Amino acid sequence: RGGGGGGGGAPPLPPSAMQLSCTAPGVVARCLCSHPRLPLYLVGSDGVVQCWQFGQSVQGLGLHDHLRAQYALPVGTASGHHATSVRFSPCGELFGCIDTTGRVGLWRLF
C-alpha cells in the first residue's frame, strides 16, 4: 500500500498549525517549545534563546508575529555552540535551555 518512498520536502502543515515567519538575518532555529497558556514560543538558536509572540495586533497593520525578547546562552559557552533544548516550566513563569556543551541556562520570563 502506498509505498511512500522518497517524496522529498516536508509534509504540508495541518490547517490548525501556525508558521513562524522569521525575518531576522542569521537566525537558525535549533529547537522550539510553546508556552503552556500564552501565545509565546521559545526558539533556541546559535548563542541565544528568543521569545516570540504570535498574532499580536498592531494598530493599522493587522496581526503580526514578533520577537519579544532575546536571552544570551550561559556565560562561558564556546563560540559555535547552540541551544539543543528549550522548555517552559509548567506554570510558564520560568524557562530554561541546555546547549551543546551541557551548560544550563534558567530565566524568569520578562
Side-chain angles (χ1 to χ4, degrees):
R1 288 189 175 234
L13 293 172
S16 62
M18 298 176 80
Q19 183 173 353
L20 171 63
S21 177
C22 177
T23 57
V27 173
V28 175
R30 306 284 185 170
C31 50
L32 173 79
C33 80
S34 63
H35 190 277
R37 294 180 310 279
L38 301 173
L40 299 174
Y41 292 81
L42 295 176
V43 176
S45 64
D46 296 336
V48 297
V49 174
Q50 298 177 329
C51 183
W52 286 83
Q53 181 171 355
F54 285 84
Q56 169 101 12
S57 180
V58 178
Q59 188 171 356
L61 299 177
L63 295 177
H64 288 276
D65 305 333
H66 72 281
L67 181 64
R68 288 286 305 260
Q70 184 164 284
Y71 305 85
L73 288 181
V75 175
T77 299
S79 66
H81 290 281
H82 58 268
T84 59
S85 179
V86 290
R87 295 285 184 272
F88 278 106
S89 64
C91 66
E93 292 180 14
L94 306 172
F95 67 92
C97 82
I98 298 174
D99 70 14
T100 53
T101 66
R103 292 182 187 268
V104 174
L106 298 172
W107 295 272
R108 184 173 305 278
L109 188 62
F110 309 119

